[in-house]
Amino acid sequence: MRAAEPTVESAPWAEFVPSVLSDHGTECCAMARAWYTAMDRSMWRGEGGPAWISRKFPWGPSKWPLFWCEAMEAEELDCGAHQALSMEAFRARGIRVVPVQLVQRQEVHHLPHWHGRWGDASASPAWAREGVAYHEACATLQEGRAEVWDPTVGAWLSPRHLEGVRSIAAVRIGGATASDEFVDWRGVRLRMGVWASLEAGGG
Amino acid sequence: MAQRFPQALTCYVSGVHSGPNPSPGLGVARSLRQAFPHARLVAVDYSVESSGLHSEVFDEVWVQRPWKEMRLPVYQAAIQAVLDGGALWFPGQDLEVEWMAGALPDPARAMLPGLAALERVAKPAIFASEGLPVSIPEWIGADRSDWDLHAFCREHGWRVWLKGPNYEAMKVRDWPSFRHGRDFLSELWGTEQLFVQRHVVGAEESVAFCAYRGELLDCVHMTKHTQTAEGKTWAGAVNEVEPGFAEALRARIAELNWTGGGELEYVRALDGTLHLIDWNPRFPAWIHAASFAGHNLPALLVEAAGMGTPQPVPFQTNQFTRIVLEVPVRNTHPLPAVRQANDQSGVGSKHPSGMTELSRRLRENRPREDEPVRPGPVVVPAMASDLEEVAGNGAATPRRMFLPRTSRERFAQVEAVLDAQPGGTVEVGFGYSVKTNPHPTLLALADQAGMFAEVISSAEMRRALEFGFPPERIIMNGPASQWPDGPGAGGPLMAAFADSPQAFERWMCHGPPEARYLGIRLRPVTFESRFGSGLGSVERFAHIVKLLKAMPAEQEMGLHFHFASDVLGPARWREVFEGVVHWAAAIEQSVGRGVRCLDMGGGYFPDDFDRELLPRIGAMTASASAMLPELERFFLEPGKAMAQPSMALATTVLEVRRGSDGAVEAVVDAAISDLPMAPFYPHRVYRRTRQGEWEGVGGGSDRLVGRICMETDILASDLKLPEELKAGDRLVIGDAGAYDASMAYNFGRGLLEDACC
Ligand SMILES: [Zn+2]
């Protein structure tokens, strides 16, 4: 059975803003940030992407708002937290980086597993619908070109992945505020801050 | 059925084994079958255990005698007859290609390149890659001296491969694994053909191509997605070759006048650069996956050879994976009987291609020289005069000798850096690691050079005090720094570092050692170590911060980090150093107190200390003080870099055993108990020639074995002992002044440990 083709409009994701970690403004979060920065400097030499993050904190439910001190003590983190941490790692090396939001096709029958797992953790399962899911990543920008880093998988994504499981139905680069700036993601021209559907042969 | 082609197409496809490390034949045949459904396909291999022989894609099989026992001229004539009969030949084994290229006078229908082209694509240099957007990872011939080979491995952080000329690569992690690999592979290929190449971290990709008489017909790019434990492709994606790459390849193929299939294997490093590992003179085993993606390369060769027009290939998909299938065995070629297992070897573990045997046969045909001698160490002037002074006399052996000039030169280098003080406002100091060698002369040299004494126990501290180091020139660390009980230092030490949070907690409860700088040893986060305080979680980090916060306000804070540089290589050690500086900054920020002192060790190989560390101290101090504004002292602990070259072991040959096969073994009066580090790094060996000059002993496969009854008592297994060596001759083993001295033990002398009663 196949679900209807997902669109941004068919789910509440158009309104989603990229995840940001919160800070208590006290020693707990300051210490967590200091630890993260030093750890990142030891684990990642600055080439490729910070693949260590999802190895250290495998993908799983997070409760939001998520504070730095909670995130650094978590056993698992969701893609929003992975995104926020990866952004921090790129930024620390002086690389311009923006959040990326994606709508990806998924297996229909995976939904109850996700809802169950997120529900057990008292985390919101709103990111998952039948056959489709909301996902966060980040993009490094250089001279108008974007490369999208999926921090959960630890891989660079391709806009040509348009069919099958995990294929990209829609993407928004640069967060929730529409901008006049355009970026080129491997041949696909996208306006920053605006959702776009990816179609075979399109772009 | 209508005959589609003017003449029947017959293709001989060799190398058809299909397993975790498959040969390309099966994939080539499947592509040929797809393009030419009525072709007669004949499988060729050199073992009945080649599994692809049983694939239904083949109309016939032609199993040869194994390479080891085959009469090569007979086989050569048989192949020539097949080709003369109008068949095409698709070779599937590198060495088969090499042999055929040399053996066949007119290989027109054999899809293989000529000998000249093969020479241009031979590893490690792969001259033909010039002009392609790839570089060859750094390599060094294994015929170089052990000293150079060890240096190469350190330079590349012990992330290196030992490789044979055609295939077979072994990952090397340390000197013992290098030596093991060299013994194993040189048996196969001969040492003169081996080389060591740096490992490149990145994604494995390749470009497969086909060409006919210098014309590139097509090429495809493949990215490995998953691979087997051996590193062989299991799943991947086939795409177009980047245009720049394809054009450069077209030009190279024309120059090489290439015919046949081929594959370039390379690594795409994280920075995007391409590093060529191999240029194979045959199709890769995944070649049929290219046909799914609309590129049937074997079929294009048939067409180019004028043997027919292939059926068009529809594009199916560009991704592929392998699966495991059971197929019925051909009645004509039943499996060999089940061999009885014995305890010497496993059954069925050998690859059926028989390439090692063919390699030996091809080498038999080449002029065989005597075993090549790898160069011995150069006798530098200080060493020459040291040897003359201390080893020239007839004193009893085995005897460890202090080398005065060599040692003084080492300590003078440290003194020069201390005089220059390259750290600017940060005072640079050096700690002499007492455990490395607590010999009075070395302690005195360290003292005179202005070094600090780095101690790991109270016993060592008291020895340092006894030899004139004042408390303020002593740095204490280690898991049992206050063992055993006894008199204290009598004044504040320069620094003391707790090895664990528990030790530091005890210090805070019961009083720490009196020291100007007090702190903790940090444990590395990127590799295993039993020492120091772990930082792997915020909880552990917070615990360390809490403890350091508890220090009295007036106590100055320091941090210590130690990991042997020669284990990681100096470049990776510097990366770790940068990480440590960031940890120190995180601690400083969280504790709310400046890091005033940083103490970094250690375990430098002497050459690395001289060439890699000393010239960089200024830059290291600068980057540390940029992160740590209150830093005032930066200590480096050279470890064995000071002591290792300072002593040598003189030994006398007791017996020389020359085997009829040329193997030479000399029994000497020294033993592994006198040189416990013998297996772990190269030791330079010297001897005096008949003319009275000192020379270094070269490398080969002769052994130097010790006097004691232990299987492990082998002092060297990679020397070329001189022809004239005889009982009574003297050899001097250098580089024996560090742990070889301090960890030497009594064995086979009729002595017991003093403390035993
Ligand atoms: Zn907090």
Side-chain angles (χ1 to χ4, degrees), chain B residues 533-620:
Chain B
S533 304
L535 298 155
S537 68
V538 184
E539 200 186 346
R540 283 167 174 262
F541 177 73
H543 188 206
I544 292 170
V545 167
K546 190 178 132 206
L547 293 172
L548 292 170
K549 267 187 172 171
M551 281 195 300
E554 67 283 2
Q555 176 64 57
E556 296 193 80
M557 184 170 80
L559 290 171
H560 173 66
F561 180 86
H562 182 118
F563 199 86
S565 144
D566 67 343
V567 172
L568 291 176
R572 282 172 75 194
W573 189 89
R574 283 198 302 277
E575 289 176 5
V576 171
F577 165 76
E578 285 168 30
V580 168
V581 170
H582 280 85
W583 281 111
I587 288 170
E588 173 171 301
Q589 181 195 330
S590 304
V591 174
R593 184 198 297 250
V595 174
R596 298 269 171 84
C597 163
L598 207 53
D599 179 279
M600 298 286 297
Y604 289 91
F605 206 79
D607 288 1
D608 294 344
F609 180 71
D610 302 353
R611 293 178 208 148
E612 303 289 330
L613 188 73
L614 287 180
R616 289 186 168 89
I617 289 178
M620 287 168 69

Side-chain angles (χ1 to χ4, degrees), chain B residues 304-318:
Chain B
M307 300 296 288
T309 307
Q311 289 196 356
V313 196
F315 174 90
Q316 250 180 295
T317 173
N318 72 327

Side-chain angles (χ1 to χ4, degrees), chain A residues 22-30 67-70:
Chain A
S22 304
D23 194 313
H24 284 118
T26 46
E27 195 189 32
C28 55
C29 284
F67 287 83
W68 269 94
C69 58
E70 297 165 341

Side-chain angles (χ1 to χ4, degrees), chain A residues 48-68:
Chain A
W52 73 274
I53 296 168
S54 58
R55 283 201 298 268
K56 172 86 185 162
F57 304 103
W59 180 69
S62 294
K63 276 200 283 185
W64 294 86
L66 182 67
F67 287 83
W68 269 94

